[in-house]
Amino acid sequence: GGCWHQCCPGRNNACWAPGARRARCYCDSYCERTGDCCEDYRTACRRAAVGCAVGPWGPWSGCSSPCGVGSKARSRQVTVPPRHGGEPCPDLKQRRGCLGEHPTCGTAK
């Protein structure tokens, strides 16, 4: 048996083939960590692996609080999803603190 018929991303216990001495060998990308990959895993699966690609960060949003402490957020989109055990996607959202300084803040006190 071997991985020529299937390659799975991540940890997937259903992604296996019969190996030597009736033992199971695996074709999921997690097998590289556990060391129980089928003999042809690298040639069958890693060659087909496609890592995640993301676009540029969008602009920061306005501060969530017009007066005082709040937060801003920005995001980016996946342009190429990971396939066949390729690198997973990095964070798609970021958040940071901000201080709202709307002109009416001082008069509201």
Side-chain angles (χ1 to χ4, degrees):
C3 297
W4 59 270
H5 64 287
Q6 68 176 354
C7 297
C8 307
R11 187 175 192 168
N12 184 345
N13 288 335
C15 191
W16 61 274
R21 298 188 188 101
R22 296 186 182 180
R24 288 182 180 184
C25 61
Y26 291 86
C27 302
D28 59 347
S29 57
Y30 197 76
C31 75
E32 290 190 294
R33 289 188 184 178
T34 55
D36 54 2
C37 298
C38 292
E39 288 182 22
D40 66 344
Y41 173 77
R42 284 202 171 272
T43 56
C45 300
R46 295 307 290 173
R47 191 174 292 164
V50 175
C52 181
V54 294
W57 286 107
W60 287 101
S61 68
C63 192
S64 63
S65 175
C67 300
V69 178
S71 63
K72 292 182 175 189
R74 69 178 181 171
S75 63
R76 58 186 172 181
Q77 301 296 316
V78 173
T79 56
V80 178
R83 291 191 303 272
H84 308 297
E87 284 295 312
C89 294
D91 288 340
L92 300 175
K93 295 183 179 184
Q94 285 184 333
R95 186 173 298 276
R96 71 178 182 191
C98 60
L99 188 59
E101 298 178 358
H102 193 270
T104 61
C105 294
T107 60
K109 291 182 181 175

